[in-house]
Amino acid sequence: MAKREFKDYEGLVNRSMGIYGLLKHFPDDMSDEEVEGILHVLPKDMSSAISAVLAPRIRKTSIALLKGMQHWFDGAAEARARGKKIILVPFNFPPEFVYCFENAYPLTSEVLTVSGVAALEGQGERYWDFAMGLGLPDYLCSSNTIELGSALTGADFEPDAVISAAPGSCDANSKIHEFVARYIGVPQFILDKPVDDSPRGRRAYRTYFRRLVRDMEEFVGEELNEDHMREVLSRANEATQLYYDLWELRKIRPNPCPNLFTLYAYAVRYVLWGTEVGLDILRMMIDTVKERMEKGLYPAQEEVARCFWIYTYYYWDWYGFFNRMEERGITVLGDLLGSFFFQPVDLSSKDTMIDGLADTCWDYAMTRQVGAESMSAQWADDIAYWTSQLDADACIYCGHHSCKQTWSVFSVVRSEIMKRSKLPTLMLQGDSWIRRMLPMSAMDEQIDEFVGSVLKGKRTTPATQVG
Ligand code: SF4
């Protein structure tokens, strides 16, 4: 009888690294038979995400994205082996800042959670349960608590330090990062957002950012090198330009940009900004979208609704959320986490580059809106801008059960959107990272009813070719 091997209990990052590590053996494109073979042997939870990303219309770009993620994970393992410092950052912090150090490497909490939820059997549930088992409250943010719950098990790849950019915008996020830093005994560097949104507040934020630079330089044992910074940030600037090129293409009706690409764009933003790999993925996305536009390809007979998600997506059923929706003619125009106001960084000097990074950091949605002087006003302003740009027909809100910040002002924001932009806004319950809260079938039903009754026949756009 074959000998059975049991592996030690492993954390989300280690398990995800193992799985993404397999991707380097994949060809850059795959036949339908190869995809079918893979789906046949994969565990159920993972095959759902893989079947979504390997849909023929997006397959090649998806493989590039997956390999990009594998590159990011491999980079962390390699950095650790070379004695570089692994810095855990939240999703409202630019990873390119960490890439500006030759001896540091960024891992992003929430992207790790999404990777685990997409790739692991059992998704991220055991790590959430572990955090709850320690007595942590269940009103934490599942977006970061799943990955950080894994760090707390003591059986995972651990960072050497944590940057927390959420104080001043989200207590749930900043407290769990602080707790983990203390629990595993690594330093935490804090970047506070003042509530003052005037130029004085911006100036204060730049000052805080400079203090973070000094702390990091001391911790990493390396002074930021201007030439290396310029190299990284010129790639980041190029990525910003490509992001806006893609944004322009997303305005077209019917939308030539597959729903999943909106997620890919911000996956790149959160982990690979400032790298060549990130640029390659963005270029490939744009080529695919242009090709679809030129051929008039769209996944359904007509585009029946263009919906902007005013907070986040659901990440635990990629096929159900992204692909099935576009196959019913419902465009996921984007969500708040993937919509940006970034400006290219001025590369003329080290000082301008640091200021540019501080400004980038401020303009991440969670910092800019949740940490604003008036959260509801800033949120509504930004939504009005994005939805008018992207020619949206409606808005949909979903998030997670414990995002007290957004829940607390949702009704104000909804009535403002309806008044100002005349866009009907659907509110969904459920949790973006934990499937136990509300099944996808229930969400589908509510979305279909909303589209069928509120948006019915309003602005459909026929496809030239279905595909
Ligand atoms: S604002 Fe909401 S989604 Fe963002 S980190 Fe805080 S709890 Fe999570």
Side-chain angles (χ1 to χ4, degrees):
M1 200 163 112
K3 193 168 148 243
R4 292 189 68 178
E5 279 188 23
F6 291 93
K7 288 188 96 175
D8 285 342
Y9 185 87
E10 280 197 280
L12 178 147
V13 183
N14 279 338
R15 287 171 69 210
S16 301
M17 274 180 173
I19 286 176
Y20 280 90
L22 296 174
L23 290 162
K24 55 176 152 298
H25 306 294
F26 276 35
D28 289 338
D29 204 354
M30 291 169 88
S31 66
D32 291 347
E33 290 72 23
E34 284 169 325
V35 171
E36 209 178 298
I38 286 188
L39 293 179
H40 192 66
V41 296
L42 287 179
K44 193 164 156 287
D45 287 340
M46 191 183 174
S47 79
S48 150
I50 291 292
S51 68
V53 300
L54 294 185
R57 58 185 176 274
I58 53 171
R59 189 175 297 162
K60 214 168 153 203
T61 313
S62 299
I63 293 175
L65 187 270
L66 292 175
K67 288 191 175 195
M69 295 299 290
Q70 168 243 315
H71 174 87
W72 180 59
F73 277 118
D74 282 0
E78 202 186 305
R80 167 65 41 89
R82 290 180 175 208
K84 294 187 183 186
K85 303 282 191 209
I86 307 292
I87 313 293
L88 191 71
V89 301
F91 63 161
N92 61 333
F93 190 82
E96 62 270 29
F97 170 63
V98 182
Y99 286 125
C100 284
F101 288 90
E102 311 225 33
N103 292 309
Y105 194 86
L107 281 182
T108 313
S109 310
E110 293 78 5
V111 178
L112 294 172
T113 293
V114 171
S115 303
V117 166
L120 301 180
E121 190 56 15
Q123 302 196 325
E125 287 161 15
R126 69 168 79 162
Y127 306 110
W128 171 262
D129 292 345
F130 188 87
M132 297 302 104
L134 285 178
L136 290 167
D138 75 350
Y139 47 81
L140 282 172
C141 176
S142 46
S143 167
N144 31 63
T145 301
I146 290 175
E147 197 287 305
L148 295 169
S150 170
L152 294 170
T153 63
D156 206 358
F157 187 91
E158 284 179 2
D160 297 301
V162 173
I163 290 179
S164 176
S169 50
C170 175
D171 288 347
N173 189 314
S174 41
K175 279 320 213 188
I176 185 71
H177 278 90
E178 178 187 336
F179 181 77
V180 169
R182 286 171 186 262
Y183 193 89
I184 64 176
V186 298
Q188 185 194 210
F189 303 112
I190 291 181
L191 178 63
D192 223 328
K193 155 86 171 55
V195 189
D196 178 358
D197 278 345
S198 71
R200 195 178 66 160
R202 285 254 178 190
R203 279 198 300 278
Y205 194 67
R206 284 180 172 191
T207 308
Y208 302 159
F209 198 88
R210 279 170 197 284
R211 193 185 56 207
L212 173 72
V213 171
R214 285 197 299 277
D215 287 347
M216 277 282 290
E217 285 183 331
E218 196 180 315
F219 177 70
V220 177
E222 169 195 344
E223 203 180 315
L224 278 176
N225 173 295
E226 186 174 331
D227 293 337
H228 183 60
M229 277 186 95
R230 193 167 287 113
E231 246 174 64
V232 172
L233 296 182
S234 59
R235 284 192 293 266
N237 282 352
E238 204 181 325
T240 302
Q241 184 53 53
L242 291 170
Y243 172 83
Y244 285 123
D245 291 348
L246 186 67
W247 179 268
E248 290 304 311
L249 292 163
R250 283 159 62 187
K251 296 178 177 174
I252 297 163
R253 297 182 83 103
N255 198 321
C257 177
N259 286 351
L260 258 168
F261 279 16
T262 59
L263 173 69
Y264 294 179
Y266 73 86
V268 174
R269 178 57 192 106
Y270 289 142
V271 299
L272 294 167
W273 220 245
T275 69
E276 273 304 332
V277 179
L279 288 173
D280 290 343
I281 298 168
L282 289 168
R283 286 190 200 109
M284 201 181 264
M285 281 165 63
I286 290 171
D287 289 347
T288 307
V289 175
K290 278 191 177 155
E291 191 187 334
R292 295 185 63 74
M293 180 190 67
E294 276 149 23
K295 292 184 178 162
L297 286 165
Y298 186 71
Q301 294 285 350
E302 57 185 350
E303 185 180 49
V304 293
R306 294 165 68 87
C307 302
F308 187 84
W309 261 253
I310 63 169
Y311 208 52
T312 78
Y313 295 151
Y314 291 104
Y315 302 89
W316 39 264
D317 180 355
W318 289 30
Y319 198 92
F321 186 77
F322 296 99
N323 298 35
R324 218 169 45 222
M325 198 103 70
E326 73 187 8
E327 284 156 16
R328 305 203 300 278
I330 303 171
T331 295
V332 171
L333 272 181
D335 73 345
L336 184 128
L337 300 185
S339 305
F340 303 107
F341 289 98
F342 300 141
Q343 298 304 316
V345 170
D346 177 348
L347 304 175
S348 16
S349 71
K350 192 168 166 181
D351 274 346
T352 62
M353 289 190 273
I354 292 174
D355 286 343
L357 282 165
D359 292 347
T360 300
C361 207
W362 172 294
D363 276 325
Y364 273 92
M366 198 175 72
T367 313
R368 177 187 166 86
Q369 290 155 9
V370 182
E373 249 171 48
S374 161
M375 180 186 167
S376 52
Q378 187 65 64
W379 193 10
D381 276 359
D382 291 352
I383 299 294
Y385 175 75
W386 287 321
T387 50
S388 67
Q389 283 263 309
L390 292 173
D391 197 16
D393 303 322
C395 293
I396 302 183
Y397 168 80
C398 76
H400 60 87
H401 72 293
S402 48
C403 186
K404 298 290 177 284
Q405 0 280 331
T406 51
W407 277 115
S408 63
V409 296
F410 170 71
S411 57
V412 179
V413 172
R414 171 158 66 179
S415 63
E416 201 53 31
I417 292 171
M418 303 225 262
K419 219 177 347 165
R420 228 199 281 181
S421 310
K422 310 276 175 287
L423 294 178
T425 302
L426 172 70
M427 186 263 291
L428 292 174
Q429 300 278 352
D431 190 295
S432 298
W433 293 273
I434 304 178
R435 61 185 159 182
R436 292 164 180 163
M437 304 295 170
L438 195 70
M440 191 55 70
S441 55
M443 290 182 217
D444 273 353
E445 238 172 68
Q446 292 175 57
I447 292 172
D448 284 345
E449 202 180 312
F450 175 67
V451 169
S453 53
V454 181
L455 301 176
K456 194 164 180 256
K458 270 204 157 159
R459 302 183 65 199
T460 65
T461 316
T464 316
Q465 252 192 88
V466 177

